[in-house]
Amino acid sequence: MRKKIIAGNWKMNKTPSEAVALINELKPLVANDEVDVVFCVPAISIVPAMEAAKGSNINIGAENMYFEESGAYTGEIAPNMLTDVGVKYVIIGHSERRDYFAETDETVNKKVLKAFEHGITPIICCGESLTQRQQGVTIDFIRQQIKIAFLNVTAEQAATAVIAYEPIWAIGTGMTATSDQAEEVCAAIRACIAEIYDEATAAAIRIQYGGSMNAGNAAELLAKPDIDGGLVGGASLKPDFGKIVNYNK
Ligand code: PGA
């Protein structure tokens, strides 16, 4: 039985002091031992967020990471900077990073390999554009993203990975994919993992849905057999996030 994982993606929101205040506000609301709860916050807020989350079930994650160990990469965050402060999860290849910061399937793969090397669980994002969906190439496109993201990743590593299926047209738009649309793609992703590795790896890997998930639609999405959690943007900054985490209560 896969444990559900609900992750908030704060994106470029909240100052460090606002982050502390929000964590203190949400801490009692997101208590649910049946679910892994992760708050992926801006890099500058990771340390204060860790302090604020102490003693709770909240894991603090990063929103990005570079694929080199150290050196002349102005503005980037190295994997050992994250592990040094206890980060265990990192979002990799979010569509906003692909669209605005030129990330590619190849850089996503490098980051995924580097995260595993450092014992950080990558939350690997994939998702099609509206045009791709309308042209009927969604599954082909996602399979390609997955196949490249997992190049040279071992089965043991892959089994511990998290994949976030986030249709780009559903992100921040209020246009959530229907639970059937989300399940269809999440099932296809799991089949793709079985093809690359084996059934056991496919059965172990956790696949989230993301894109306008909220307190009203979370329970239906999370009831689907291949949806093991959510990557939540807008609604993770509000008390609503507690309702998503407690979708089963
Ligand atoms: P959203 O964002 O929930 O605001 O649509 C999800 C994401 O981009 O991870």
Side-chain angles (χ1 to χ4, degrees):
M1 201 37 203
R2 294 181 294 270
K3 190 175 182 186
K4 295 270 198 266
I5 176 164
I6 312 276
N9 173 11
W10 286 18
K11 310 193 178 185
M12 198 176 73
N13 291 296
K14 304 291 173 190
T15 64
S17 46
E18 288 168 348
V20 168
L22 183 58
I23 287 174
N24 285 329
E25 181 190 349
L26 295 186
K27 224 174 352 187
L29 306 179
V30 300
N32 183 354
D33 288 341
E34 292 158 42
V35 173
D36 284 333
V37 178
V38 186
F39 286 28
C40 295
V41 305
I44 196 167
S45 294
I46 289 174
V47 171
M50 285 267 179
E51 279 298 312
K54 258 193 194 139
S56 77
N57 62 324
I58 300 171
N59 291 283
I60 301 299
E63 298 179 11
N64 183 31
M65 179 198 93
Y66 200 49
F67 53 74
E68 295 290 352
E69 294 292 336
S70 65
Y73 304 104
T74 303
E76 292 295 322
I77 307 282
N80 70 357
M81 296 175 189
L82 297 180
T83 53
D84 187 65
V85 297
V87 167
K88 298 201 173 62
Y89 296 91
V90 61
I91 298 173
I92 291 182
H94 190 279
S95 61
E96 287 148 18
R97 297 229 40 101
R98 296 177 190 252
D99 283 354
Y100 308 139
F101 303 100
E103 294 207 10
T104 63
D105 290 337
E106 288 71 25
T107 59
V108 167
N109 175 240
K110 286 184 183 177
K111 290 182 177 192
V112 167
L113 290 168
K114 194 48 88 174
F116 279 125
E117 204 182 295
H118 286 266
I120 308 174
T121 300
I123 299 175
I124 306 162
C125 300
C126 61
E128 83 286 4
S129 66
L130 188 56
T131 312
Q132 287 165 328
R133 177 157 285 267
Q134 287 165 342
Q135 291 301 320
V137 298
T138 297
I139 304 284
D140 290 341
F141 179 72
I142 304 275
R143 281 171 54 84
Q144 173 162 327
Q145 285 187 316
I146 295 296
K147 287 198 172 183
I148 300 176
F150 282 84
L151 206 66
N152 298 322
V153 172
T154 68
E156 291 69 31
Q157 291 170 331
T160 68
V162 177
I163 297 174
Y165 165 55
E166 298 204 306
I168 296 169
W169 49 272
I171 295 177
T173 58
M175 259 170 64
T176 318
T178 66
S179 55
D180 286 340
Q181 284 173 324
E183 167 62 17
E184 182 195 11
V185 180
C186 290
I189 292 170
R190 201 176 302 287
C192 184
I193 294 293
E195 218 176 279
I196 303 171
Y197 301 101
D198 47 51
E199 290 297 335
T201 309
I205 200 166
R206 293 189 289 180
I207 305 174
Q208 298 173 316
Y209 167 77
S212 299
M213 187 182 263
N214 59 44
N217 59 32
E220 184 183 335
L221 287 157
L222 294 168
K224 291 292 182 185
D226 289 294
I227 302 181
D228 307 314
L231 183 57
V232 184
S236 72
L237 299 165
K238 299 187 286 198
D240 255 20
F241 194 57
K243 297 195 184 122
I244 299 176
V245 168
N246 285 290
Y247 74 96
N248 59 343
K249 298 288 163 73

